[in-house]
Amino acid sequence: MAVQEARQGPEPGAHDGGCACGDCPHGAREGHRRAVAAFLVKRDEYAAGQGLPAAVAHSASASRQWVSEELTQSAELVAERGRAEGESWLSRVWQRTACTVAAAVVVLLLVQSLTAIGPGWTAARTAGLLAALLVGGALTAASWLHRARGGALAPVIGEDNRLSTSRVVAAAWVLFVAYAVLVLVGRLAAASGPAERDALISGLDLARGAGAVTVLAVVCAIAVLVRRVVGLRVLGQRLQKVRAHRPRAADLLTDDAGRGTFADIQYVVISAVALAFAAVRLARRPDQLPDLPWGLAVVVLVSAATYLAGKYAEGGRPVILSVVRSREAGDLDGPIRTGDDIEIRGAGFVPPGAQTADRLSRMVVRIGAVHVHVPLVPVAGGFSNPTDAVLTVPVPAEVEPGRVEVQVITAAGVETNRYAIDVTD
C-alpha cells in the first residue's frame, strides 16, 4: 500500500512530514512512511534497469555509480525522516506512561476489590493501593520531567538509542522492591499496637528477604557492568554499534540486527518469572519482604551470569580474508589494474543494525591513500553490494601502480586489518 501511494504521489496539501504532530496524517510518522515508500519504489525501479538517464546507460560503471548516488541521497532523506519520527515518538512516551500507570492502578483496585469479597477490606489492601499510587505518581512525574528524552524510558535507553535488557530488568526489580517497602511503610503507619509494629519492622530483616536482596544487588551490578563492558569493547574496536532511530520493545529480546538472542531471552523470561513469584509472595504476606527461595534466586543468578557471558562473547572485529580481481563472464584472467573492480572477501563488514541503505552508503574502502565509497547495487528486495562477507569496489585511476594496502571502514567506524595487493598499469 505504501509503495502504491508513493507512485501516486503525495496528497494535495500534504507537507513533507517535518512536523511532529503525532498520529496526524501529516506528522513525522507519515513523513517517514512516505519517504520509505518512495525509496523502495526507486530501489526496485533501478534494480529492474528503469529510470537510468541516457548519458550513463551505455556504461556499466557509470550507471552503477549514478544509481548508487541517487539511492544514497534518497536513503539520507529516509534517515532524516526516521530520526524525526523517533524524536516525535520519544516526546509522546510520557503520555503513554501516564495512561499505562493509571490503567495499572485501576486494575490493582479491581483485583483488590474482587478478592476482598468475603474476607473484607483490610489495611494491607489500602497500603498496597497507596504504594501503587506513590510509585505511579513518581513514574508519571519523572516521565514528564524527562519527556524530551523518552520519559520513564530515559534511564533504560542505551547509548545506541535501544532499550537495554540489563537496565530494564534491574529497573523492574528496583521498582518492585520499592513498592514492597512502601507497602510495609503503609502497614506500619496504620499499625495500632506495639506488637504489630514490631512484627512489621522484623519483616524487613535480612534473614527474610536475603534472596530478593541478593537478586536485586546482582541485577543492578550486571546493568552497570554490561554498560562498562560494551563501552570498552566499542572503544577497543571489538564490537560494532550503530545508533537506532528509536527504542523498540523488541530490543529486549533481540540483538541490534533484530534477531532473537538466547542470552537476552532467557534473562528476561527467568527474571519475569521470578518477579511474578515475588509479587504473589508479597500479596500473600504483605507484612514482610518477599522471601524469594534460594533455589529460585540461584536460577536468576545463573541467568544473569549467562547474559553477561553472552555480552562478552558477542561482536568481533571485521576482517579481510582475501582480495581478488572481480571477473565477469567472458573477461580474460589477469592482474588487478586501475579501473578494475576488486572483490573483498571477509567477515563483519556490515555491523548489526546497519542493513539500511543510509548505513551501507557510509562504508569506505581505503586503497593506498585513496578513499573509495562502496557503491550500492540494488536488487529486488535489497542490495547485492555491499554484504557482510563480500563487497566490490572499483580501483580508481588515482591509485598508484605497485603494492598498496586495502582496508575497509565499516558504517560503525571500525577499521579492518590491512591487506596488501599488487596494482599494475
Side-chain angles (χ1 to χ4, degrees):
M1 181 180 298
V3 175
Q4 293 177 355
E5 291 182 2
R7 288 197 175 99
Q8 294 172 359
E11 298 176 359
H15 45 84
D16 294 333
C19 68
C21 306
D23 296 329
C24 76
H26 309 308
R29 179 183 300 178
E30 181 68 14
H32 180 233
R33 190 177 69 86
R34 290 185 177 275
V36 171
F39 173 80
L40 294 178
V41 170
K42 183 177 293 187
R43 184 198 64 189
D44 293 342
E45 287 180 350
Y46 290 155
Q50 303 174 2
L52 295 177
V56 299
H58 65 281
S59 173
S61 60
S63 61
R64 182 181 62 183
Q65 185 65 28
W66 186 87
V67 167
S68 179
E69 294 294 337
E70 289 292 315
L71 290 177
T72 298
Q73 294 179 7
S74 180
E76 290 175 354
L77 177 61
V78 172
E80 178 184 350
R81 298 298 185 218
R83 288 189 292 269
E85 193 271 338
E87 293 174 358
S88 175
W89 183 88
L90 286 176
S91 65
R92 299 193 306 270
V93 167
W94 77 271
Q95 299 173 347
R96 300 178 181 179
T97 301
C99 295
T100 302
V101 167
V105 172
V106 170
V107 170
L108 178 62
L109 177 60
L110 292 176
V111 170
Q112 289 189 347
S113 300
L114 292 176
T115 55
I117 299 176
W121 193 269
T122 61
R125 301 179 190 277
T126 302
L129 186 59
L130 291 177
L133 289 174
L134 288 176
V135 174
L139 283 176
T140 303
S143 298
W144 186 82
L145 291 174
H146 297 276
R147 57 190 180 276
R149 300 180 180 89
L153 296 181
V156 297
I157 296 176
E159 286 70 20
D160 57 352
N161 206 30
R162 295 180 175 87
L163 287 180
S164 171
T165 302
S166 59
R167 297 185 195 180
V168 169
V169 171
W173 278 101
V174 168
L175 289 176
F176 174 75
V177 172
Y179 173 78
V181 173
L182 287 175
V183 171
L184 290 177
V185 171
R187 292 290 312 280
L188 185 62
S192 57
E196 184 180 0
R197 288 193 292 269
D198 292 341
L200 290 171
I201 292 176
S202 64
L204 291 172
D205 289 344
L206 185 60
R208 297 188 177 182
V213 172
T214 301
V215 169
L216 175 64
V218 170
V219 296
C220 290
I222 289 292
V224 176
L225 184 58
V226 164
R227 179 179 181 180
R228 178 65 174 171
V229 168
V230 171
L232 290 178
R233 288 174 61 83
V234 170
L235 293 177
Q237 297 192 5
R238 296 188 300 274
L239 180 65
Q240 301 189 75
K241 279 283 187 180
V242 294
R243 185 176 177 84
H245 291 317
R246 70 173 179 88
R248 303 178 185 274
D251 297 338
L252 301 178
L253 306 176
T254 62
D255 59 9
D256 293 352
R259 299 183 296 264
T261 56
F262 170 76
D264 293 61
I265 292 174
Q266 61 86 29
Y267 190 39
V268 171
V269 170
I270 292 179
S271 299
V273 171
L275 273 172
F277 180 89
V280 173
R281 291 292 295 173
L282 179 63
R284 302 293 294 179
R285 296 291 301 273
D287 56 344
Q288 64 180 42
L289 285 177
D291 52 342
L292 199 66
W294 276 111
L296 183 56
V298 170
V299 170
V300 177
L301 300 185
V302 171
S303 174
T306 303
Y307 173 78
L308 182 60
K311 287 298 179 182
Y312 271 103
E314 72 177 0
R317 189 168 182 172
V319 59
I320 297 177
L321 300 178
S322 61
V323 178
V324 299
R325 176 176 176 269
S326 181
R327 176 182 176 274
E328 297 182 359
D331 285 351
L332 298 177
D333 296 328
I336 299 176
R337 298 182 176 88
T338 55
D340 290 344
D341 289 340
I342 57 174
E343 186 177 280
I344 305 174
R345 302 172 183 175
F349 296 149
V350 180
Q355 291 81 9
T356 56
D358 62 302
R359 304 291 186 180
L360 295 177
S361 63
R362 297 177 61 185
M363 295 183 61
V364 176
V365 175
R366 184 186 294 122
I367 305 177
V370 181
H371 291 75
V372 183
H373 285 78
V374 180
L376 299 177
V377 180
V379 293
F383 297 93
S384 62
N385 186 65
T387 63
D388 189 63
V390 178
L391 55 89
T392 302
V393 295
V395 179
E398 291 78 8
V399 175
E400 296 292 337
R403 194 164 185 83
V404 297
E405 292 182 334
V406 177
Q407 191 175 30
V408 176
I409 304 173
T410 69
V414 179
E415 298 179 344
T416 65
N417 58 305
R418 299 177 184 270
Y419 194 94
I421 62 173
D422 293 317
V423 179
T424 62
D425 289 330

